[in-house]
CSV table of all heavy atoms in Angstrom, one decimal:
chain,number,residue,atom,x,y,z
A,291,ALA,N,3.9,7.3,-7.2
A,291,ALA,CA,5.2,8.1,-6.9
A,291,ALA,C,5.1,9.5,-7.5
A,291,ALA,O,5.5,10.4,-6.9
A,291,ALA,CB,6.3,7.3,-7.5
A,292,SER,N,4.6,9.6,-8.7
A,292,SER,CA,4.5,10.9,-9.4
A,292,SER,C,3.4,11.7,-8.7
A,292,SER,O,3.6,13.0,-8.6
A,292,SER,CB,4.1,10.7,-10.9
A,292,SER,OG,5.2,10.0,-11.6
A,293,VAL,N,2.4,11.1,-8.2
A,293,VAL,CA,1.3,11.9,-7.5
A,293,VAL,C,1.9,12.5,-6.2
A,293,VAL,O,1.6,13.7,-5.9
A,293,VAL,CB,0.1,11.0,-7.2
A,293,VAL,CG1,-0.9,11.7,-6.3
A,293,VAL,CG2,-0.6,10.5,-8.4
A,294,ILE,N,2.7,11.7,-5.5
A,294,ILE,CA,3.3,12.2,-4.3
A,294,ILE,C,4.2,13.4,-4.6
A,294,ILE,O,4.1,14.4,-3.9
A,294,ILE,CB,4.1,11.1,-3.6
A,294,ILE,CG1,3.2,10.0,-3.0
A,294,ILE,CG2,5.0,11.7,-2.5
A,294,ILE,CD1,3.9,8.8,-2.5
A,295,THR,N,5.0,13.3,-5.6
A,295,THR,CA,6.0,14.4,-5.9
A,295,THR,C,5.2,15.6,-6.4
A,295,THR,O,5.5,16.7,-5.9
A,295,THR,CB,6.9,13.9,-7.0
A,295,THR,OG1,7.6,12.7,-6.6
A,295,THR,CG2,8.0,15.0,-7.3
A,296,LEU,N,4.3,15.5,-7.3
A,296,LEU,CA,3.6,16.6,-7.8
A,296,LEU,C,2.7,17.3,-6.7
A,296,LEU,O,2.7,18.5,-6.6
A,296,LEU,CB,2.7,16.2,-9.0
A,296,LEU,CG,1.9,17.3,-9.6
A,296,LEU,CD1,2.8,18.4,-10.2
A,296,LEU,CD2,1.0,16.8,-10.8
A,297,SER,N,2.2,16.5,-5.8
A,297,SER,CA,1.4,17.1,-4.7
A,297,SER,C,2.2,17.9,-3.8
A,297,SER,O,1.8,19.0,-3.4
A,297,SER,CB,0.7,15.9,-3.9
A,297,SER,OG,0.0,16.5,-2.8
A,298,ALA,N,3.4,17.5,-3.6
A,298,ALA,CA,4.3,18.3,-2.7
A,298,ALA,C,4.6,19.7,-3.4
A,298,ALA,O,4.6,20.7,-2.7
A,298,ALA,CB,5.6,17.6,-2.5
A,299,PHE,N,4.8,19.7,-4.7
A,299,PHE,CA,5.1,20.9,-5.4
A,299,PHE,C,3.8,21.8,-5.4
A,299,PHE,O,3.9,23.0,-5.2
A,299,PHE,CB,5.6,20.6,-6.8
A,299,PHE,CG,7.0,20.3,-6.9
A,299,PHE,CD1,7.5,19.0,-7.0
A,299,PHE,CD2,8.0,21.4,-7.0
A,299,PHE,CE1,8.8,18.7,-7.1
A,299,PHE,CE2,9.3,21.1,-7.1
A,299,PHE,CZ,9.7,19.8,-7.1
A,300,VAL,N,2.7,21.2,-5.6
A,300,VAL,CA,1.4,21.9,-5.7
A,300,VAL,C,1.2,22.6,-4.3
A,300,VAL,O,0.7,23.7,-4.2
A,300,VAL,CB,0.3,21.0,-6.1
A,300,VAL,CG1,-1.1,21.7,-5.8
A,300,VAL,CG2,0.4,20.6,-7.5
A,301,ALA,N,1.5,21.8,-3.2
A,301,ALA,CA,1.3,22.4,-1.9
A,301,ALA,C,2.1,23.6,-1.7
A,301,ALA,O,1.7,24.6,-1.1
A,301,ALA,CB,1.6,21.3,-0.9
A,302,LEU,N,3.4,23.6,-2.1
A,302,LEU,CA,4.3,24.7,-1.9
A,302,LEU,C,3.8,25.9,-2.7
A,302,LEU,O,3.9,27.1,-2.3
A,302,LEU,CB,5.7,24.3,-2.3
A,302,LEU,CG,6.4,23.3,-1.4
A,302,LEU,CD1,7.8,22.9,-2.0
A,302,LEU,CD2,6.7,23.9,0.0
A,303,LEU,N,3.3,25.6,-3.9
A,303,LEU,CA,2.8,26.7,-4.8
A,303,LEU,C,1.6,27.4,-4.3
A,303,LEU,O,1.3,28.6,-4.5
A,303,LEU,CB,2.6,26.2,-6.2
A,303,LEU,CG,3.9,25.9,-7.0
A,303,LEU,CD1,3.6,25.2,-8.3
A,303,LEU,CD2,4.7,27.2,-7.3
A,304,THR,N,0.7,26.6,-3.7
A,304,THR,CA,-0.6,27.1,-3.2
A,304,THR,C,-0.6,27.7,-1.8
A,304,THR,O,-1.2,28.7,-1.5
A,304,THR,CB,-1.7,26.0,-3.3
A,304,THR,OG1,-1.3,24.9,-2.6
A,304,THR,CG2,-1.9,25.7,-4.8
A,305,ILE,N,0.1,27.0,-0.9
A,305,ILE,CA,0.1,27.4,0.5
A,305,ILE,C,1.1,28.6,0.7
A,305,ILE,O,0.8,29.4,1.5
A,305,ILE,CB,0.5,26.2,1.4
A,305,ILE,CG1,-0.6,25.1,1.3
A,305,ILE,CG2,0.6,26.6,2.9
A,305,ILE,CD1,-0.3,23.8,2.1
A,306,LYS,N,2.2,28.5,0.0
A,306,LYS,CA,3.2,29.6,0.1
A,306,LYS,C,3.7,29.9,1.5
A,306,LYS,O,4.0,31.0,1.9
A,306,LYS,CB,2.6,30.9,-0.5
A,306,LYS,CG,2.2,30.7,-2.0
A,306,LYS,CD,1.6,32.0,-2.5
A,306,LYS,CE,1.1,31.8,-4.0
A,306,LYS,NZ,0.5,33.0,-4.5
A,307,GLY,N,3.7,28.8,2.3
A,307,GLY,CA,4.3,29.0,3.7
A,307,GLY,C,3.4,29.7,4.7
A,307,GLY,O,3.8,30.0,5.8
A,308,GLN,N,2.1,29.9,4.3
A,308,GLN,CA,1.2,30.6,5.2
A,308,GLN,C,0.0,29.7,5.6
A,308,GLN,O,-0.6,29.0,4.8
A,308,GLN,CB,0.6,31.8,4.5
A,308,GLN,CG,1.7,32.8,4.0
A,308,GLN,CD,1.1,34.0,3.2
A,308,GLN,OE1,-0.1,34.2,3.3
A,308,GLN,NE2,2.0,34.8,2.6
A,309,ASP,N,-0.3,29.7,6.9
A,309,ASP,CA,-1.4,28.9,7.4
A,309,ASP,C,-2.7,29.3,6.9
A,309,ASP,O,-3.6,28.5,6.8
A,309,ASP,CB,-1.4,29.0,9.0
A,309,ASP,CG,-0.2,28.3,9.6
A,309,ASP,OD1,0.4,27.5,8.9
A,309,ASP,OD2,0.1,28.6,10.8
A,310,ALA,N,-2.8,30.6,6.5
A,310,ALA,CA,-4.1,31.1,5.9
A,310,ALA,C,-4.4,30.4,4.6
A,310,ALA,O,-5.6,30.3,4.3
A,310,ALA,CB,-4.0,32.6,5.7
A,311,ASN,N,-3.4,29.9,3.9
A,311,ASN,CA,-3.7,29.2,2.6
A,311,ASN,C,-3.7,27.7,2.8
A,311,ASN,O,-3.7,27.0,1.8
A,311,ASN,CB,-2.5,29.6,1.7
A,311,ASN,CG,-2.5,31.1,1.3
A,311,ASN,OD1,-3.5,31.7,1.4
A,311,ASN,ND2,-1.3,31.6,1.1
A,312,LEU,N,-3.7,27.2,4.0
A,312,LEU,CA,-3.6,25.8,4.2
A,312,LEU,C,-4.8,25.0,3.7
A,312,LEU,O,-4.7,24.0,3.0
A,312,LEU,CB,-3.5,25.5,5.7
A,312,LEU,CG,-3.3,24.0,6.1
A,312,LEU,CD1,-2.1,23.4,5.4
A,312,LEU,CD2,-3.2,23.9,7.6
A,313,ALA,N,-6.0,25.6,3.9
A,313,ALA,CA,-7.2,25.0,3.3
A,313,ALA,C,-7.2,24.9,1.8
A,313,ALA,O,-7.6,23.9,1.2
A,313,ALA,CB,-8.5,25.8,3.8
A,314,ILE,N,-6.7,25.9,1.2
A,314,ILE,CA,-6.5,25.9,-0.3
A,314,ILE,C,-5.6,24.8,-0.7
A,314,ILE,O,-5.8,24.1,-1.7
A,314,ILE,CB,-6.1,27.3,-0.8
A,314,ILE,CG1,-7.1,28.4,-0.4
A,314,ILE,CG2,-5.9,27.3,-2.3
A,314,ILE,CD1,-6.6,29.8,-0.8
A,315,GLY,N,-4.5,24.7,0.0
A,315,GLY,CA,-3.5,23.7,-0.3
A,315,GLY,C,-4.0,22.3,-0.2
A,315,GLY,O,-3.8,21.4,-1.1
A,316,VAL,N,-4.8,22.0,0.9
A,316,VAL,CA,-5.4,20.7,1.1
A,316,VAL,C,-6.4,20.4,0.0
A,316,VAL,O,-6.5,19.3,-0.6
A,316,VAL,CB,-6.0,20.6,2.5
A,316,VAL,CG1,-6.8,19.3,2.6
A,316,VAL,CG2,-5.0,20.7,3.6
Side-chain angles (χ1 to χ4, degrees):
S292 298
V293 173
I294 290 173
T295 305
L296 182 57
S297 176
F299 277 97
V300 169
L302 290 173
L303 288 170
T304 53
I305 299 177
K306 300 177 181 179
Q308 301 178 12
D309 290 343
N311 298 328
L312 184 57
I314 299 176
V316 173

